[in-house]
Amino acid sequence: MDPDAVAKAFVEHYYSTFDANRAGLANLYQEGSMLTFEGQKIQGSQSIVAKLTSLPFQQCKHNITTVDYQPSGSGGMLVFVSGNLQLAGEQHALKFSQMFHLMPTPQGSFYVLNDIFRLNYA
Amino acid sequence: MDPDAVAKAFVEHYYSTFDANRAGLANLYQEGSMLTFEGQKIQGSQSIVAKLTSLPFQQCKHNITTVDYQPSGSGGMLVFVSGNLQLAGEQHALKFSQMFHLMPTPQGSFYVLNDIFRLNYA
């Protein structure tokens, strides 16, 4: 599988799902998945999606600026993203950085083992 | 080993070495190590240090804002850093984000398998 295509397809799928229907992200995570969101540690698909769906904004739009990726040495792939997050009704977009560690599933797909998100305050 | 202590000690060591003597970073990398620096892919300790020592500034100071970490599922640790990079003679600091994948060595230490660096332009 072409890692460049995997990284780009994942990023497109992740953020378009986030912006349209956050609950739809559940099947990208598994029980061992970890999210660190602005320093808060959350584990497991159900808890992660509960966090994402309870964020204090309804509509948002991620605009991606950069996508970098590397093999992680265990069949997985590290994907590093930077971009802007536009919240509905807010004048200024928020800059963010996020990294994912994608691991292969037996079905030939990937799930998110590690996810770390940070807003880059000015 | 306490992962919180490992992550903080690594970050302190990495950036203080970078700011004082970039060539001293060589022993944190191995032949299979990967650096993606502002989208440019570099592999191997020697090439990585050649890149870092050839950056077009002499003196700099990293100020760290956040450090997050997670186990990577293969005995390694992911460390995600955000902060500011102050270049000598420049008025404004540059914001950056960087992620490292630390892997254990047989000697009980860690080396950097993956390193992705991005400046967060305004």
Side-chain angles (χ1 to χ4, degrees), chain A residues 68 71 95 97 114 118 121, chain B residues 68 71 95 97 114 118 121:
Chain A
D68 297 307
K95 297 173 68 60
S97 301
N114 303 97
R118 278 283 177 183
Y121 297 105
Chain B
D68 297 307
K95 297 173 68 62
S97 301
N114 302 96
R118 278 282 178 185
Y121 297 106

Side-chain angles (χ1 to χ4, degrees), chain A residues 26 30 32 40 42 50 64 76-77 81:
Chain A
Q30 295 189 1
Q40 184 187 356
I42 300 141
I64 305 309
M77 182 189 298
V81 180

Side-chain angles (χ1 to χ4, degrees), chain A residues 63-84:
Chain A
N63 296 300
I64 305 309
T65 307
T66 65
V67 178
D68 297 307
Y69 60 88
Q70 291 180 358
S72 66
S74 52
M77 182 189 298
L78 295 163
V79 182
F80 186 95
V81 180
S82 71
N84 297 289

